[in-house]
Amino acid sequence: MEKQLLHIDFLAVEAGKKLHAHVRIILKGSPIGVKEGGVLETPQHDIEVECDPSVLPEKIEIDVSSLGVNHSFHVRDLPALKDVKVLTSPDMVLASVKFARGEAAPAAAETAEPVAEAAAATAAAPAAEAKA
């Protein structure tokens, strides 16, 4: 099968004029939370920046090895980039570790059983008093 070129964009870069670009986020390390049974989620794979073309980063690497379960890495947690202004919202999540839904359900079921038993015992007590 022959590969065909479908589309190319050429951009002119002017010296002294800042440009807007998307920079790829690369995650490094294995989060602690994953070792504890969590799942690493990466909802955002790049951020938007504004800078001079000469300082545009090719990629941004972040270490997620200290990320625990129910913890997130936000844009605001990125180290400062010299002469690069981050335009993406500081509250945007780049990576998070959460428990899988299948694991959370058994924990809820275990909690529900004692509550149901206590409710049944409370309901049975007035009925026993009424018979006496």
Side-chain angles (χ1 to χ4, degrees):
M1 182 172 169
E2 186 180 331
K3 293 183 181 180
Q4 293 183 341
L5 189 59
L6 299 176
H7 182 81
I8 295 178
D9 281 333
F10 291 101
L11 301 173
V13 178
E14 295 180 36
K17 186 174 181 184
K18 293 187 179 192
L19 62 96
H20 290 245
H22 288 268
V23 178
R24 184 127 181 101
I25 300 294
I26 305 295
L27 304 180
K28 296 288 185 181
S30 180
I32 294 171
V34 170
K35 295 173 186 173
E36 296 171 348
V39 176
L40 178 64
E41 295 180 354
T42 55
Q44 191 68 24
H45 301 284
D46 58 23
I47 61 169
E48 187 175 359
V49 299
E50 178 184 64
C51 63
D52 189 79
S54 64
V55 295
L56 178 66
E58 180 181 330
K59 62 186 176 190
I60 298 173
E61 294 182 355
I62 57 175
D63 182 16
V64 293
S65 57
S66 63
L67 208 57
V69 175
N70 294 326
H71 290 108
S72 300
F73 191 98
H74 296 84
V75 171
R76 66 176 166 262
D77 300 324
L78 287 170
L81 302 168
K82 184 177 170 135
D83 298 327
V84 177
K85 179 180 178 183
V86 177
L87 301 176
T88 303
S89 169
D91 296 327
M92 179 157 302
V93 175
L94 298 174
S96 64
V97 177
K98 297 182 179 179
F99 275 121
R101 291 180 191 251
E103 294 178 17
E110 291 171 9
T111 307
E113 286 179 25
V115 171
E117 290 173 8
T122 304
E129 290 175 8
K131 289 182 181 179

